[in-house]
């Protein structure tokens, strides 16, 4: 505050320290309050993983491995891309939302959703809504959640395709994580059960070897084999998504996500250390003029509500609720672990978002806007880009733009939109300042690109499995065998439908710059946050119905904020007369141009013009449809809460019956003295009574 008041430069180190300090306080006090006072977690209650253990979808998983799986599954493109784009408004608004939002909204949603799903045999969010809110709100939730899920998965997959296309290093390194994960799965299951530390060391060593080998492969005769076109990547991703969703969870999904977490957390931790060592200054203003004007070149719209839509993962993300009611509740050993897995993993992802914000804000603002503004705004030459950036209120010379591209061995950095290249550039600035100097900047830049692809791919495979669970829950309302999530015909049919859904939009988007997922991409941010509103509404309803009315504010307050943000954004996207914001306003401009026989960018001919009109219409209709579904859910949830308060004796909960747990496991990463004593006693009991199954 002193530095801001005096107009001094602010070191990025303060961002890192402030975030870590706040996370520590939030986890130590607020998450403990949620676990013990609000939710009243019960270590004696058997979880679905223990009661329904079938070795396929339900499988008690070591808390450290499960933390890795959950973190890897929820931490996709959002925490890397959203904060970079939101840096257009300055570093301060986004940073405040990331830190405050995760403590009181995002981590709360994840933890509470995980708890209630665990109490209901791992039911999906949509099915919990149908069971607890009612058939009307539940049906709306099922439709909204599944449709949004397909869009989110296709968007995430498109980011991976863009990162890995024509990149043999990235393709080889990421492909090698699959056999490594299979080895780790069998190691823990068959060769050395329970040896988590042992297999972790082996896995990390193999992962590092795979990363280094990727560089060798890229320079060898094998490079052509691992140089895949976007279309080929789509095919391989669809195949992988299907296989990963049907194999037993212990075999591929959990160990691969756990392995990826070492890469993710390790890289981000090193990045934080690099910031502390290099102490770069934040060059982006605290708040830019675009925050009030709403005419930014990166994305249009004012600070409220669009910063809170753009930054989703890292602060509050509806996608997380799908994982928290998907794979994770079917694998968690103890209810007491929902704090570490649900709240703790979300804090970790929030720190990733902080590091992405730092990476975007330590580079020159002129370079930032040259990278993130579309070609239509800055042109395709360094001269035109320099002039356009000057009109934005910042300066950068053509020579500096050329030098920046040459430093990372790229032909050009102009209009590399999407956020990923900016994060990679900021990351290379920090790492090269600590290790290797300017000569290593190109290596670190391409390492960061590969790292981002690995980061996102783990969300696609887990998301596909979650989508399969959701679809099976939906179909189970019509044909009961589908509710058995490990019923083989249901598994194969549902998985095929899910990968076919996002695979279709991905394939069409890869082959048509105005089609497929490119058509639906503008809905990504709003759809994700509307999904968070559904999750928080269901959680609030369950808190009220389960007799926790006095604590319902823990989800009701973030719900009120999220509803205000998302419905305001939806209203503006539907009804705004600004063609850069409103879907129907954009549609009208292109329709008028068609009538006048004109072609407007990004269209290149009349066919493209008609496609843009169609896309704008579809996006506007879907934005209205999703907002309407959420309103229906909110109204129905309000009705149920009112009845639960007025007539508590009529409340019916769909919790699974209590069953005594026989598993002994710590609640956190490190066992307490009491937990060590319990583990020792369980070990002695195991040796004396091997048939009891106690662990």
């Amino acid at each position: 505050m002193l530095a801001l008041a005096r107009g001094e430069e602010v070191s990025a180190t303060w961002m890192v320290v402030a975030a870590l300090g706040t996370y520590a306080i939030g986890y130590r006090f607020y998450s403990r309050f949620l676990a013990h006072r609000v939710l009243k977690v019960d270590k004696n209650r058997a979880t679905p993983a223990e009661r329904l253990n079938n070795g396929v979808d339900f499988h008690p998983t070591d808390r450290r491995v499960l933390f890795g799986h959950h973190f890897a599954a929820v931490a996709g493109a959002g925490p890397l891309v959203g904060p970079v784009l939101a840096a257009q408004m300055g570093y301060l608004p986004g940073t405040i939302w990331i830190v405050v939002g995760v403590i009181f909204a995002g981590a709360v949603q994840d933890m509470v959703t995980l708890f209630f799903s665990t109490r209901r045999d791992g039911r999906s969010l949509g099915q919990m809504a149908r069971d607890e809110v009612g058939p009307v709100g539940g049906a709306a939730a099922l439709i909204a959640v599944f449709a949004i899920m397909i869009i989110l998965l296709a968007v995430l997959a498109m980011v991976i395709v863009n990162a890995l296309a024509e990149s043999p290093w990235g393709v080889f390194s990421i492909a090698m994580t699959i056999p490594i994960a299979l080895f780790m799965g069998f190691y823990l299951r068959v060769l050395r059960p329970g040896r988590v530390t042992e297999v972790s060391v082996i896995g990390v060593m193999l992962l590092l070897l795979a990363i280094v080998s990727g560089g060798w492969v890229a320079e060898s005769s094998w490079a052509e084999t691992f140089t895949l076109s976007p279309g080929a990547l789509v095919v391989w991703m669809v195949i992988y998504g299907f296989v990963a969703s049907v194999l037993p969870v212990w075999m591929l999904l959990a160990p691969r996500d756990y392995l990826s977490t070492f890469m993710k957390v390790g890289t981000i931790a090193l990045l934080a250390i690099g910031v502390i060592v290099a102490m770069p200054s934040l060059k982006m203003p605290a708040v830019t003029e675009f925050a009030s004007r709403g005419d930014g070149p990166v994305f249009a719209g004012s600070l409220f509500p669009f910063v809170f839509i753009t930054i989703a993962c890292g602060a509050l993300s509806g996608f997380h609720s799908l994982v928290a009611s998907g794979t994770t509740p079917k694998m968690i050993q103890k209810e007491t672990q929902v704090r570490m897995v649900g709240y703790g993993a979300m804090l970790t992802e929030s720190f990733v978002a902080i590091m992405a914000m730092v990476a975007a804000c330590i580079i020159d603002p002129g370079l930032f806007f040259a990278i993130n503004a579309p070609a239509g705004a800055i042109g395709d030459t360094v001269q035109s880009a320099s002039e356009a950036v000057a009109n934005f209120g910042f300066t950068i010379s053509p020579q500096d733009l050329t030098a920046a591209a040459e430093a990372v061995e790229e032909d050009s950095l102009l209009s590399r939109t999407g956020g990923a290249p900016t994060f990679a550039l900021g990351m290379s600035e920090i790492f090269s300042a600590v290790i290797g100097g300017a000569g290593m900047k190109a290596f670190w830049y391409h390492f960061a690109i590969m790292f981002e692809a690995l980061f996102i791919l783990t969300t696609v495979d887990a998301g596909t499995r979650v989508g399969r669970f959701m679809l099976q829950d939906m179909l189970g309302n019509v044909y009961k065998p589908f509710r058995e999530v490990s019923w083989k015909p249901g598994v194969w049919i549902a998985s095929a439908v899910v990968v076919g859904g996002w695979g279709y939009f991905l394939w069409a988007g890869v082959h048509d710059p105005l089609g497929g997922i490119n058509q639906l991409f503008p809905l990504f941010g709003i759809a994700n946050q509307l999904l968070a509103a559904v999750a928080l509404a269901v959680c609030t309803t369950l808190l009220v119905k389960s007799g926790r009315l006095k604590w319902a504010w823990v989800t009701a307050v973030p719900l009120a904020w999220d509803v205000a943000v998302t419905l305001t954004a939806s209203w503006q996207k539907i009804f705004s007369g600004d063609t850069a914001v409103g879907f129907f306003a954009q549609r009208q401009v292109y329709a008028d141009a068609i009538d006048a026989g004109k072609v407007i960018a990004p269209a290149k001919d009349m066919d493209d013009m008609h496609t843009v009109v169609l896309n704008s219409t579809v996006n506007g209709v879907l934005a209205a449809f999703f907002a309407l579904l959420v309103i229906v859910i909110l109204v129905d949830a309000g009705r149920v809460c009112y009845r639960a308060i007025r007539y508590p004796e009529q409340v019916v909960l769909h919790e699974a019956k209590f069953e005594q747990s026989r598993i002994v496991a710590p609640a956190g990463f490190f066992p307490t003295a009491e937990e060590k004593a319990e583990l020792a006693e369980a070990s002695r009991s195991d040796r004396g009574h091997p048939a009891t199954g106690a662990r």
Side-chain angles (χ1 to χ4, degrees):
M1 291 300 296
L2 286 172
L4 286 173
R6 295 171 178 172
E8 298 172 352
E9 288 188 347
V10 176
S11 172
T13 306
W14 291 115
M15 310 284 277
V16 174
V17 173
L20 290 176
T22 309
Y23 298 154
I25 294 170
Y27 186 79
R28 172 65 180 84
F29 296 104
Y30 195 51
S31 71
R32 182 179 176 84
F33 160 75
L34 292 173
H36 298 290
R37 296 291 298 278
V38 178
L39 302 179
K40 296 181 180 178
V41 295
D42 186 357
K43 70 177 182 180
N44 297 313
R45 189 185 187 104
T47 64
E50 181 179 0
R51 290 185 292 102
L52 306 175
N53 183 9
N54 59 12
V56 180
D57 296 311
F58 293 91
H59 178 65
T61 304
D62 185 280
R63 67 201 183 282
R64 293 160 292 186
V65 175
L66 185 60
F67 177 91
H69 158 73
H70 187 80
F71 169 73
V74 301
L80 296 175
V81 173
V84 172
L85 302 181
Q88 167 183 268
M89 303 292 192
Y91 65 80
L92 199 55
T95 299
I96 292 174
W97 169 232
I98 291 168
V99 175
V100 175
V102 72
I103 297 293
F104 296 108
V108 174
Q109 173 206 252
D110 293 14
M111 179 179 174
V112 177
T113 303
L114 175 58
F115 172 79
F116 281 125
S117 180
T118 301
R119 283 279 174 103
R120 285 158 180 76
D121 289 342
R123 287 291 182 214
S124 66
L125 175 65
Q127 189 60 40
M128 285 198 295
R130 188 181 187 281
D131 292 342
E132 304 290 354
V133 176
V136 176
L142 285 168
I143 295 169
V145 169
F146 189 73
I148 292 171
M149 178 74 165
I150 295 298
I151 294 173
L152 298 184
L153 286 174
V155 168
L156 294 171
M158 177 60 90
V159 176
I160 297 169
V161 169
N162 291 338
L164 290 184
E166 314 300 336
S167 173
W169 182 11
V171 169
F172 176 83
S173 297
I174 289 175
M176 287 304 297
T177 63
I178 297 173
I180 295 172
L182 288 170
F183 167 75
M184 291 175 67
F186 280 99
Y187 194 94
L188 277 177
R189 177 84 172 185
V190 179
L191 301 178
R192 302 274 286 174
R195 305 287 183 172
V196 177
T197 303
E198 197 174 290
V199 78
S200 299
V201 173
I202 296 172
V204 170
M205 291 175 63
L206 291 173
L207 176 62
L208 293 174
L209 178 61
I211 294 169
V212 174
S213 300
W216 300 337
V217 168
E219 298 174 358
S220 72
S221 57
W222 288 6
E224 187 175 348
T225 304
F226 291 94
T227 302
L228 301 182
S229 66
L233 276 170
V234 172
V235 173
W236 281 111
M237 286 177 61
V238 167
I239 294 172
Y240 171 73
F242 179 82
V243 172
S245 69
V246 300
L247 285 178
V249 71
W250 60 266
M251 187 181 296
L252 176 59
L253 189 67
R256 189 186 180 284
D257 287 353
Y258 179 59
L259 181 67
S260 299
T261 297
F262 280 102
M263 174 70 172
K264 294 177 177 182
V265 175
T267 301
I268 294 299
L270 289 174
L271 192 58
I273 294 171
V275 168
I276 294 172
V277 173
M279 298 186 71
S281 295
L282 298 170
K283 296 178 182 177
M284 185 70 72
V287 182
T288 68
E289 293 182 0
F290 300 125
S292 57
R293 296 208 311 254
D295 60 350
V298 179
F299 64 91
S302 55
L303 190 153
F304 180 88
F306 289 105
V307 159
F308 310 100
I309 294 295
T310 304
I311 300 179
C313 298
L316 172 64
S317 171
F319 178 79
H320 294 195
S321 66
L322 304 184
V323 179
S325 61
T327 53
T328 306
K330 298 175 179 64
M331 300 162 66
I332 196 163
Q333 292 175 315
K334 307 289 286 184
E335 272 192 7
T336 49
Q337 294 171 354
V338 299
R339 179 188 179 199
M340 180 190 92
V341 175
Y343 203 95
M346 182 59 188
L347 291 184
T348 308
E349 189 198 35
S350 182
F351 188 60
V352 175
I354 286 292
M355 297 312 301
M357 179 66 77
V358 167
C361 294
I362 64 168
I363 65 176
D364 186 274
L367 180 58
F368 171 87
F369 285 106
I371 295 173
N372 290 284
I378 64 171
D380 54 6
T381 67
V382 291
Q383 186 64 44
S384 64
S386 176
E387 293 170 359
V389 168
N391 292 330
F392 299 154
F394 301 96
T395 59
I396 188 166
S397 68
Q399 294 77 18
D400 289 339
L401 288 172
T402 302
E406 290 175 348
V408 293
E409 297 180 7
E410 291 283 340
D411 294 333
S412 173
L413 290 174
L414 300 183
S415 299
R416 298 290 297 275
T417 55
T422 305
F423 176 80
L425 189 64
M427 187 170 163
S428 69
E429 289 275 354
I430 295 168
F431 277 152
S432 63
V434 178
I435 305 172
M440 286 287 287
K441 187 175 287 187
F443 169 83
W444 289 121
Y445 176 85
H446 289 93
F447 171 83
I449 293 292
M450 187 275 297
F451 161 77
E452 290 175 288
L454 174 66
F455 217 106
I456 300 163
L457 185 60
T458 51
T459 302
V460 173
D461 55 17
T464 300
R465 197 180 195 95
V466 171
R468 189 252 286 181
F469 292 150
M470 290 166 50
L471 185 56
Q472 286 186 265
D473 275 346
M474 289 173 63
L475 297 176
N477 295 314
V478 179
Y479 185 58
K480 287 187 177 180
F482 273 102
R483 284 202 171 186
E484 174 54 53
V485 294
S486 298
W487 180 55
K488 286 292 189 292
V491 168
W492 289 70
I493 292 170
S495 295
V497 171
V498 173
V499 297
W502 64 257
Y504 164 77
F505 287 112
L506 179 61
W507 177 267
V510 163
H511 292 86
D512 181 359
L514 297 176
I517 195 53
N518 296 316
Q519 178 185 43
L520 302 175
F521 191 87
L523 290 173
F524 175 77
I526 290 178
N528 188 39
Q529 296 303 71
L530 285 171
L531 192 54
V534 175
L536 289 168
V538 171
C539 289
T540 303
T541 304
L542 286 170
L543 286 172
V544 174
K545 289 183 67 175
S546 60
R548 300 174 173 92
L549 175 60
K550 69 177 181 179
W551 304 123
W553 58 267
V554 300
T555 53
V557 171
L559 170 61
W561 169 257
D562 188 51
V563 168
V565 167
T566 51
L567 293 187
T568 300
S570 297
W571 179 272
Q572 292 186 17
K573 296 299 285 186
I574 296 166
F575 296 108
S576 175
D578 184 349
T579 57
V581 176
F583 290 131
F584 290 114
Q586 184 186 68
R587 178 195 182 282
Q588 192 60 48
V589 167
Y590 280 83
D592 292 343
I594 290 173
D595 292 339
K598 297 179 181 178
V599 176
I600 307 173
K604 297 178 180 178
D605 51 39
M606 273 298 167
D607 287 340
D608 284 355
M609 291 290 290
H610 286 286
T611 300
V612 172
V613 170
L614 174 64
N615 290 354
S616 300
T617 305
V618 169
N619 286 331
V621 170
L622 284 178
F625 179 62
F626 288 151
L628 182 61
L629 286 177
V630 170
I631 291 171
V632 169
I633 295 164
L634 291 172
V635 171
D636 212 19
R639 176 189 62 81
V640 172
C641 289
Y642 174 78
R643 288 185 60 83
I645 295 169
R646 286 293 303 273
Y647 310 105
E649 69 280 358
Q650 297 180 10
V651 169
V652 177
L653 285 172
H654 292 76
E655 278 191 0
K657 291 183 179 180
F658 176 90
E659 186 175 315
Q660 182 68 37
S661 175
R662 300 168 65 192
I663 291 178
V664 177
F669 275 108
F670 306 104
T672 63
E674 180 184 351
E675 289 171 339
K676 287 180 179 178
E678 291 176 348
L679 288 167
E681 177 61 30
S683 180
R684 287 193 294 271
S685 176
D686 239 0
R687 289 195 295 269
H689 306 282
T692 63
R695 284 181 287 271

